[in-house]
């Protein structure tokens, strides 16, 4: 089973655009925050100390939005196996009615901190992110 990570966001005045709802750029920030928070919470300490991730691609579908003061619950998980230095992550944001209003597939590349060079993602590195805790 795939481990999922969940986090709640509340739309503040600083997140709202001229249309009166959360700006698309904020959704991208929240997607990145979800992913890095999941890594920080679940990855092995030695992997967090040695590696970091950068986004190489975002594919986002917007199906709804929220206004100031409203909250969304984001859920993220790793999809499939890593390919070389990259891994695909899914993110969904649900509104108060449990409707998916934003979904994304993002591709992340892992880099070694010491060199800033791409590093192959070994299966055991993603175990903490992809396996349900015992």
């Amino acid at each position: 089973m795939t481990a999922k990570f969940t986090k709640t966001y509340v739309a503040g005045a600083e997140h709202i655009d001229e249309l009166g709802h959360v700006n698309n750029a904020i959704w991208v920030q929240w997607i990145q925050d979800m992913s890095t928070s999941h890594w920080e919470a679940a990855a092995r300490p030695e992997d967090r100390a040695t590696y970091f991730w950068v986004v190489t691609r975002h594919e986002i579908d917007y199906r709804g939005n929220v206004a100031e003061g409203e909250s969304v619950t984001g859920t993220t998980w790793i999809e499939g196996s890593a390919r070389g230095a990259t891994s695909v992550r899914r993110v969904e944001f649900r509104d108060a009615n449990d409707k998916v209003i934003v979904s994304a597939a993002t591709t992340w590349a892992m880099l070694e901190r010491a060199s800033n060079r791409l590093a192959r993602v070994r299966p055991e590195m993603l175990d903490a992110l992809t396996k349900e805790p015992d």
Side-chain angles (χ1 to χ4, degrees):
M1 176 150 210
T2 300
K4 294 186 177 184
F5 179 82
T6 302
K7 191 171 181 177
T8 299
Y9 296 86
V10 177
E14 68 277 13
H15 303 131
I16 305 303
D17 63 17
E18 60 275 359
L19 297 173
H21 55 63
V22 172
N23 185 281
N24 289 0
I26 299 302
W27 291 110
V28 172
Q29 288 176 356
W30 289 351
I31 288 166
Q32 289 188 196
D33 179 66
M34 289 282 305
S35 301
T36 55
S37 293
H38 186 199
W39 171 252
E40 290 296 322
R44 301 179 309 180
E46 61 270 26
D47 292 335
R48 287 194 316 267
T50 306
Y51 304 100
F52 68 99
W53 295 87
V54 295
V55 172
T56 61
R57 179 174 183 182
H58 284 300
E59 183 179 336
I60 305 170
D61 294 311
Y62 299 97
R63 297 183 182 95
N65 217 314
V66 293
E68 183 177 350
E70 295 179 331
S71 65
V72 292
T73 300
T75 303
T76 187
W77 64 95
I78 304 295
E79 182 175 83
S81 301
R83 300 180 107 184
T86 65
S87 178
V88 175
R89 177 180 288 277
R90 291 284 178 177
V91 180
E92 290 182 343
F93 290 96
R94 293 177 179 270
D95 65 12
N97 297 318
D98 203 35
K99 177 185 173 197
V100 175
I101 58 171
V102 175
S103 61
T106 63
T107 303
W108 291 76
M110 190 174 71
L111 281 75
E112 184 179 33
R113 288 188 188 279
S115 66
N116 285 340
R117 298 186 78 182
L118 290 172
R120 178 172 295 281
V121 181
R122 295 182 313 279
E124 66 271 14
M125 297 175 77
L126 290 183
D127 278 352
L129 299 170
T130 59
K131 303 277 193 270
E132 290 292 339
D134 295 330

